[in-house]
Amino acid sequence: MSIAAVVYAGGWALFVWVGDSWWQLLVAVAMAVIFAQLGFLAHDLGHRQVFRTRRPSDVVGLIIGNFGIGLGWGWWNTKHNKHHANPNHEDHDPDVSPAVIVWSQDQAVRSAGLPRFIAKYQAYWFFPLLTLEGWHLHIASFKALFQPTAKRRNVELTLLIVHFVLYFGVVFTVLPFGKALLFLAVHQGLFGVYLGCTFAPNHKGMPVLTKEDKLDFLRKQVLTSRNVRGNLFTDVALGQLNYQIEHHLFPNMPAPNLRKAQPIVERYCGEIGVDYLQTGLIESYGQALSHLHEVGAPLRR
């Protein structure tokens, strides 16, 4: 976290130092990576992987999430915990709720309007749509704070407002209007793409569960998750979420230990006859996109 804080501050210092220049587009790329890496830290904090108690996890999570990158800590935690409880479940996992993208052929058939139009060829739309994911997360963070169930509304709203006042203030002070808009488009667009490319290999293209599926905890977590094999670069780039199966079985396990648990879990799944899927990074995207294209097949017919 100390390294992340220094890099974050250094990124904004570089932005100010570069000033009114087209080189700022490269700074925008770097800042998208930095924002995503901070998002990974917030994710680990949300799972109580870092501190022993809740309070410091919440305090640092609010600083990194709301203040640092403009994502609502409370909203995201609630949403993500629902995903962990029932991954890839049509009725209970908010990550596979039909919206612009649909995740099963039943959802595709029931869709209407824009989702139905997109669903026909959604595999081709997937990455372009991810350029809007950053903005979607920011807007959803604000909207959640106006729900009756929102907790820490005043604190979270204040931190989000401070983040965006400083964010837009710095960008539009240093850059002329046109370049500022382009910086925002590149930064937030790539931020969304990076997050999407990190989370898409984990569950997309894996079985989508319904109320008819009755699975125990282990099978529910393992059969809906996909690991991505790789090396140190892959681990860092994907926030160690490439060990998705182990993460879902042991969400409180500190991320650096997931790679140590991986061979133990894989061996145990083999012993009890549970399918354990691990692929390369490119292959994982291929499987996810193939699934999305297959989902839209009824509409193309």
Side-chain angles (χ1 to χ4, degrees), residues 8-163:
Y8 180 81
W12 283 118
L14 178 64
F15 175 82
V16 173
W17 180 75
V18 172
D20 182 4
S21 167
W22 290 109
W23 288 106
Q24 291 286 18
L25 297 184
L26 291 181
V27 178
V29 174
M31 291 302 294
V33 175
I34 293 170
F35 268 47
Q37 288 290 328
L38 286 174
F40 297 153
L41 285 176
H43 167 271
D44 294 351
L45 285 158
H47 283 295
R48 315 293 183 223
Q49 296 179 13
V50 182
F51 298 106
R52 292 183 180 274
T53 57
R54 179 181 297 272
R55 182 172 178 78
S57 299
D58 287 341
V59 170
V60 179
L62 286 167
I63 294 172
I64 292 178
N66 292 58
F67 177 73
I69 59 177
L71 294 186
W73 169 254
W75 161 74
W76 186 85
N77 263 330
T78 300
K79 172 178 174 290
H80 194 61
N81 287 336
K82 290 179 180 178
H83 158 71
H84 266 265
N86 291 283
N88 267 27
H89 195 291
E90 277 194 352
D91 301 320
H92 304 299
D93 184 356
D95 289 352
V96 293
S97 297
V100 178
I101 296 289
V102 295
W103 308 103
S104 70
Q105 291 191 351
D106 286 341
Q107 290 180 350
V109 171
R110 296 194 305 265
S111 64
L114 180 61
R116 189 176 184 88
F117 172 78
I118 295 291
K120 290 183 180 181
Y121 296 101
Q122 61 183 3
Y124 299 98
W125 284 101
F126 183 68
F127 287 108
L129 285 172
L130 285 180
T131 60
L132 303 176
E133 179 64 12
W135 295 113
H136 165 255
L137 293 172
H138 297 315
I139 293 170
S141 297
F142 275 103
K143 288 174 62 177
L145 291 176
F146 293 95
Q147 299 299 317
T149 56
K151 300 178 181 179
R152 296 186 298 259
R153 179 182 289 111
N154 293 338
V155 172
E156 292 216 30
L157 185 59
T158 299
L159 289 172
L160 282 175
I161 291 173
V162 170
H163 167 82

Side-chain angles (χ1 to χ4, degrees), residues 213-286:
D213 296 297
K214 309 296 182 184
L215 299 176
D216 59 39
F217 174 79
L218 183 140
R219 287 167 176 80
K220 181 167 60 175
Q221 303 297 338
V222 174
L223 296 178
T224 60
S225 303
R226 177 196 295 110
N227 272 17
V228 176
R229 69 173 66 92
N231 48 36
L232 179 61
F233 173 80
T234 308
D235 291 357
V236 173
L238 299 183
Q240 299 173 102
L241 294 174
N242 45 315
Y243 303 104
Q244 188 67 194
I245 293 173
E246 289 70 36
H247 172 57
H248 263 258
L249 290 173
F250 311 104
N252 302 114
M253 180 180 290
N257 289 335
L258 294 174
R259 63 181 180 84
K260 301 175 183 178
Q262 186 276 323
I264 302 172
V265 172
E266 183 178 17
R267 183 169 61 249
Y268 180 71
C269 287
E271 291 173 357
I272 63 174
V274 174
D275 291 339
Y276 180 103
L277 181 59
Q278 184 169 228
T279 70
L281 182 60
I282 302 302
E283 185 181 357
S284 71
Y285 292 132

